Amino acid sequence: MPATIRDVARACGVHISTVSRTFSAPHLVNPETRSRVLACAEHLGYRPNRAARALITGRTHNIGLIVADIANPFFPPLIKAAESQARHRDYHIFVTDTNEDPAVEEELVHALAKQVDGVLLCSPRMSNSLIEQLSRDVPLVVINRQVTGLPNVVIDVGQGARLAVEHLIGLGHRQIALLGGPRGSWTNREIRRTATSAARSADVTLTVIGPNPPTEGGGIAAAEQVRRAEVTAVLAYNDLMAIGLIEGLDAHGVAVPRDISVVGIDDIALSRLTRPKLTTVATPNAAAGRAAVDMLLQHGDDRRTTAQVTLQTELVIRDSTGPGPHSHADPGDAAAAAPADVAS
């Protein structure tokens, strides 16, 4: 028969309420007493009833994590890091998937509101006004989106897009395409804003193709448009699209990087396994997951806060980019492509 809270209290010689506070509000218990209670609980194999604790404290010790597409390799490292950080803080995480649908996002926030102490919204597709409205029902931390008055964790993809465009310009490319992501994506807007600015500053033509599904299939489907655009380089919304684009271009007899250079964003594991290996912008997904959990537990009860964490990105140069037609470098010069280099 499993040990009860009464067993722990009897073994420690304390009142049941002291054992309860040790697990629900440890800061209210004398450190020496708290250590003794925890040692007794460990010895007896006692585990507190979370449901009962929630009735006393009003805390479920559960967190909701809503992601746009769990099949996208961008999300698993973030999810695993968030789960690990939550366990470290004695919390559990419920993960749900919206399949890129803003209506499903709203439905899931409502469904989770009564079951969790807060929700992490990762790459949401809803409008800012709706996110603000939902935050009145449950504490929210937004990942990869800036919403005024709400805590957020932002991966600076704009910085990464600028580095990518500057890399392509440095290789001699003057006709560049931006393969856009899904409609409603804040990340997509940031990439487009900074890529456009970088191209304009260098008097380079940037052709936007999209919006597109942020999938390998989206990249394959866009290959014909890219070929007709007569560009010599492409920056894709993410690695999945870049990998699909390379596959689609190959089907049209267009070689990467000989005919067109391609850059992705995210640095997923597949980007190192493709042929050619993909030049990409590395995003600190795991760090974003950890930071979001910490931010929720620190600021979750403050419904109007300006707390923000901004995480930097890096350009990882591999084999899918090479000299453009306006390059002064020898195409055979390894320094022109500088594979495996990192720019920050």
Side-chain angles (χ1 to χ4, degrees), residues 31-327:
E32 182 181 341
T33 302
R34 184 170 67 236
S35 296
R36 192 166 79 251
V37 170
L38 291 174
C40 286
E42 181 69 24
H43 176 72
L44 294 173
Y46 170 73
R47 294 292 180 270
N49 185 311
R50 285 179 173 265
R53 191 199 311 182
L55 290 174
I56 298 170
T57 65
R59 293 279 184 181
T60 67
H61 275 243
N62 296 321
I63 296 171
L65 172 56
I66 300 177
V67 300
D69 180 5
I70 203 167
N72 186 328
F74 171 87
F75 292 106
L78 186 151
I79 293 169
K80 287 181 69 68
E83 286 182 326
S84 176
Q85 190 72 356
R87 283 196 303 273
H88 180 68
R89 303 286 294 271
D90 195 28
Y91 275 75
H92 292 158
I93 282 190
F94 300 154
V95 181
T96 59
D97 176 3
T98 71
N99 199 30
E100 300 278 351
D101 188 334
V104 175
E105 278 178 349
E106 180 183 3
E107 177 185 319
L108 286 172
V109 173
H110 286 303
L112 287 169
K114 304 299 183 184
Q115 306 175 56
V116 299
D117 296 331
V119 172
L120 310 179
L121 270 179
C122 189
S123 301
R125 304 301 185 227
M126 293 182 287
S127 66
N128 281 7
S129 59
L130 181 53
I131 293 173
E132 290 173 12
Q133 181 181 328
L134 292 171
S135 72
R136 299 167 195 161
D137 298 327
V138 62
L140 297 178
V141 168
V142 187
I143 305 171
N144 273 357
R145 177 80 161 266
Q146 289 179 319
V147 181
T148 303
L150 292 182
N152 57 81
V153 176
V154 175
I155 294 175
D156 195 350
V157 289
Q159 172 218 18
R162 177 181 55 78
L163 290 172
V165 171
E166 290 175 350
H167 167 63
L168 293 172
I169 293 170
L171 288 172
H173 296 281
R174 294 293 178 267
Q175 302 288 331
I176 301 172
L178 173 62
L179 202 57
R183 204 182 301 275
S185 164
W186 177 86
T187 297
N188 188 56
R189 290 196 297 272
E190 282 297 291
I191 292 170
R192 179 168 179 168
R193 179 182 63 81
T194 52
T196 300
S197 174
R200 185 181 298 120
S201 296
D203 196 24
V204 165
T205 300
L206 185 76
T207 302
V208 179
I209 299 173
N212 301 282
T215 61
E216 183 180 357
I220 293 172
E224 176 59 20
Q225 280 183 274
V226 169
R227 191 176 68 85
R228 289 201 310 264
E230 298 184 347
V231 296
T232 63
V234 180
L235 169 62
Y237 168 80
N238 66 11
D239 285 352
L240 281 181
M241 292 179 68
I243 291 167
L245 175 63
I246 292 173
E247 183 179 346
L249 290 174
D250 181 67
H252 287 289
V254 179
V256 174
R258 185 194 67 200
D259 302 318
I260 294 181
S261 288
V262 176
V263 181
I265 294 177
D266 288 343
D267 195 25
I268 62 175
L270 281 174
S271 68
R272 299 182 287 279
L273 302 176
T274 58
R275 293 295 180 270
K277 293 181 180 180
L278 185 65
T279 294
T280 184
V281 174
T283 54
N285 306 1
R290 289 189 293 268
V293 169
D294 288 341
M295 185 171 283
L296 180 66
L297 299 184
Q298 182 177 355
H299 298 285
D301 290 329
D302 183 359
R303 301 300 177 91
R304 303 300 295 176
T305 177
T306 57
Q308 177 173 314
V309 170
T310 301
L311 302 172
Q312 299 303 305
T313 54
E314 293 180 326
L315 177 66
V316 182
I317 302 170
R318 297 194 180 104
D319 303 330
S320 65
T321 51
H326 300 282
S327 170

